[in-house]
């Protein structure tokens, strides 16, 4: 359950602090927070900047943040190294998805991952780096679900 942040009135609705790791992710978080306020959603969404996923894990562990979006390998590390638990996940059916990096040798050493996991990827402005596990793929990181 969200807790009350220091400095907020005891009568204030609870706040959730989301740890973000990029300018685009921070912008998306702030947009979501503004839209929640605009539509009278009870509670407050606060956005705090982390340097990288491990920094966000530290912030969650220390109580400076409540949540963050992470990739599967980061979720594993969050549980193993920081004792954190997954609160929500995304289930994909593998049709028309964009899973950046799914065909990189690091994530698919045998080359057996389904090709349709990159079907919805769009790459960069020059139609290169499609399905790349870096910001050149426009669906990488913050461009997905918050």
């Amino acid at each position: 359950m969200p807790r009350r942040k220091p400095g907020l009135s005891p009568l204030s609705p609870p706040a959730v602090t989301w740890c973000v790791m990029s300018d685009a992710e921070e912008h998306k978080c702030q947009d979501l927070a503004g839209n929640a306020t605009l539509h009278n959603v009870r509670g407050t969404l606060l956005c705090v900047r982390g340097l990288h996923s491990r920094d966000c894990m530290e912030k969650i562990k220390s109580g400076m943040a409540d949540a963050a979006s992470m990739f599967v390998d980061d979720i594993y590390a969050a549980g193993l190294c920081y004792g954190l638990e997954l609160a929500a996940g995304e289930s994909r059916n593998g049709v028309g998805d964009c899973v950046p990096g799914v065909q990189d040798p690091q994530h698919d050493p045998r080359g057996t991952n389904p090709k349709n996991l990159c079907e919805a990827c769009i790459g960069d402005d020059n139609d290169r780096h499609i399905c790349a596990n870096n910001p050149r793929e426009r669906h990488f990181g913050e461009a997905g679900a918050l």
Side-chain angles (χ1 to χ4, degrees):
M1 175 169 192
R3 59 186 177 276
R4 299 203 190 288
K5 299 297 177 194
L8 292 178
S9 161
L11 301 176
S12 298
V16 173
T17 301
W18 202 278
C19 188
V20 299
M21 296 170 254
S22 68
D23 291 338
E25 196 174 31
E26 185 170 20
H27 180 72
K28 189 174 186 177
C29 181
Q30 290 169 344
D31 282 350
L32 182 60
N35 282 323
T37 300
L38 182 67
H39 293 286
N40 297 315
V41 173
R42 188 173 182 274
T44 304
L45 176 63
L46 304 171
C47 309
V48 63
R49 187 67 178 256
L51 301 174
H52 42 72
S53 59
R54 296 285 174 128
D55 188 36
C56 283
M57 291 176 208
E58 288 285 343
K59 288 182 184 333
I60 294 168
K61 183 77 173 173
S62 70
M64 295 174 59
D66 298 304
S69 296
M70 295 183 191
F71 292 106
V72 173
D73 51 342
D74 290 328
I75 292 169
Y76 178 76
L80 183 67
C81 303
Y82 295 89
L84 303 177
E85 294 181 18
L86 180 66
E90 183 176 2
S91 176
R92 296 186 172 250
N93 62 9
V95 178
D97 288 331
C98 178
V99 183
V102 73
Q103 294 174 338
D104 291 353
Q106 175 186 0
H107 299 106
D108 187 17
R110 287 180 251 146
T112 57
N113 285 348
K115 305 295 182 221
N116 63 349
L117 291 176
C118 289
E119 198 171 89
C121 294
I122 56 177
D124 62 15
D125 291 333
N126 298 316
D127 294 326
R128 296 184 351 213
H129 308 287
I130 295 171
C131 204
N133 193 26
N134 62 52
R136 290 179 175 172
E137 166 55 59
R138 288 178 279 180
H139 287 311
F140 174 79
E142 72 283 335
L146 181 66

